[in-house]
Amino acid sequence: MESEIMRVDKYISSQLNGVSRKDAKALCRKGEVLVNGIVVKNSDVKIIAGKDIVTVQGENVDYKKYVYIMLNKPQGYVCSTCDGKSPTVMELVPPELFREGLFPAGRLDKDTEGFVLLTNDGELAHKMLSPKSHIEKKYYVELQKPVEQFYISEFEKGMEIDGGDVCLPARIEFVPQNEYACYVYISEGMYHQIKRMFQKLSNKVAFLKRVKMGNLEINPNLGIGECLELLHKDVEKIL
Ligand code: URA
């Protein structure tokens, strides 16, 4: 594992949920913090994260540099770290998964549901969000009017939508037994893209949910508004 030098109070607050820097300093003062078995009362002490063994109240604090969270976003939340008006997806992260520097890697509209990845791994988020990455995202869509056969070729040839934006070729898949529903696969993320694509076809999106990014599907057991911690190897399926 990659090592990083940091103050012991910073290490503790970054690795233990619900423990602030102030709490970590207090734990040190009380003699409840050990580094490699030795009591450390001075929270200025530097440790090598990933190498030194930090113990708080008798429990080892393992080093996890990055956290990756699959969120099943509900409608009504914005994909941002702060917003003056609306609740943000950050409010849905349970304290035990919260980390400094966590943010949503990508955006869904406020009224869109589904898979959002939250992480504090800037490099991974950058790779995911780069316009060159072309990661395929799958959405479940319900429309106001029935899905039409000609949508397939329209999507395939790369549609020009309002504002003159030209979409990369996209795919549409019908849902058996429901003529108002379909799955759409797009490899980019322009503003309101799917809504604008159907608008161009004189239809309107009534419900939108992201269900897959790359090769990683949303966990079917994850309730709306719930979070699930992912392993790095799971996240690699997105890229
Ligand atoms: N397309 C949209 O129109 N909205 C989303 O939230 C995602 C894709």
Side-chain angles (χ1 to χ4, degrees), residues 107-109 112 139 186 192-195 208:
R107 279 171 195 262
L108 290 179
D109 295 339
T112 301
Y139 291 83
I186 55 173
H192 291 336
Q193 182 168 341
I194 292 181
K195 291 175 184 159
L208 188 58

Side-chain angles (χ1 to χ4, degrees), residues 31 58 72 85 115 118 123 128 139-140 150 158-159 175 184 187 214:
N72 187 357
K85 288 190 285 195
F115 186 178
L118 300 160
E123 201 176 319
M128 260 181 71
Y139 291 83
Y140 169 74
F150 79 93
M159 293 172 61
V175 172
V184 168
S187 313

Side-chain angles (χ1 to χ4, degrees), residues 146-170:
V147 188
E148 305 230 26
Q149 202 67 34
F150 79 93
Y151 291 0
I152 297 177
S153 56
E154 288 297 312
F155 272 54
E156 259 172 16
K157 66 185 179 210
M159 293 172 61
E160 182 174 338
I161 51 179
D162 71 324
D165 290 324
V166 178
C167 304
L168 290 173

Side-chain angles (χ1 to χ4, degrees), residues 22-237:
K22 199 167 144 209
D23 299 334
K25 286 187 207 313
L27 285 163
C28 289
R29 272 197 306 276
K30 283 193 257 167
E32 292 182 324
V33 174
L34 314 185
V35 175
N36 300 325
I38 296 164
V39 173
V40 167
K41 290 201 166 188
N42 178 358
S43 51
D44 294 344
V45 163
K46 300 264 196 327
I47 60 120
I48 305 174
K51 186 158 180 275
D52 289 326
I53 296 168
V54 178
T55 313
V56 174
Q57 294 176 324
E59 299 275 337
N60 284 359
V61 179
D62 293 335
Y63 181 51
K64 238 195 276 173
K65 189 168 179 182
Y66 296 126
V67 69
Y68 305 97
I69 299 167
M70 173 187 282
L71 165 69
N72 187 357
K73 178 191 166 309
Q75 294 182 7
Y77 286 78
V78 293
C79 287
S80 162
T81 49
C82 60
D83 188 279
K85 288 190 285 195
S86 306
T88 74
V89 289
M90 306 310 293
E91 293 167 39
L92 298 164
V93 180
E96 67 276 12
L97 290 182
F98 198 87
R99 291 285 187 292
E100 235 177 66
L102 196 66
F103 64 98
R107 279 171 195 262
L108 290 179
D109 295 339
K110 189 173 167 183
D111 59 356
T112 301
E113 288 186 10
F115 186 178
V116 174
L117 181 80
L118 300 160
T119 186
N120 54 353
D121 183 346
E123 201 176 319
L124 179 120
H126 181 75
K127 270 194 213 150
M128 260 181 71
L129 301 176
S130 153
K132 287 188 217 130
S133 76
H134 299 312
I135 291 168
E136 188 176 73
K137 290 135 201 146
K138 179 180 180 185
Y139 291 83
Y140 169 74
V141 190
E142 284 174 4
L143 296 166
Q144 275 187 356
K145 294 192 266 179
V147 188
E148 305 230 26
Q149 202 67 34
F150 79 93
Y151 291 0
I152 297 177
S153 56
E154 288 297 312
F155 272 54
E156 259 172 16
K157 66 185 179 210
M159 293 172 61
E160 182 174 338
I161 51 179
D162 71 324
D165 290 324
V166 178
C167 304
L168 290 173
R171 287 191 293 133
I172 185 164
E173 194 180 283
F174 299 138
V175 172
Q177 323 289 314
N178 186 350
E179 57 177 349
Y180 291 88
C182 59
Y183 289 101
V184 168
Y185 300 79
I186 55 173
S187 313
E188 56 198 329
M190 285 191 271
Y191 181 67
H192 291 336
Q193 182 168 341
I194 292 181
K195 291 175 184 159
R196 288 156 74 206
M197 289 167 90
F198 284 105
Q199 184 190 36
K200 178 78 182 193
L201 301 169
S202 307
N203 208 328
K204 193 164 191 260
V205 171
F207 175 81
L208 188 58
K209 177 173 179 155
R210 182 156 68 193
V211 293
K212 193 173 177 189
M213 287 198 276
N215 280 325
L216 188 62
E217 239 161 306
I218 193 161
N219 185 313
N221 300 318
L222 195 62
I224 293 180
E226 285 181 357
C227 287
L228 177 71
E229 186 171 6
L230 300 174
L231 301 173
H232 192 274
K233 66 174 189 212
D234 298 322
V235 181
E236 277 171 3
K237 293 185 192 160

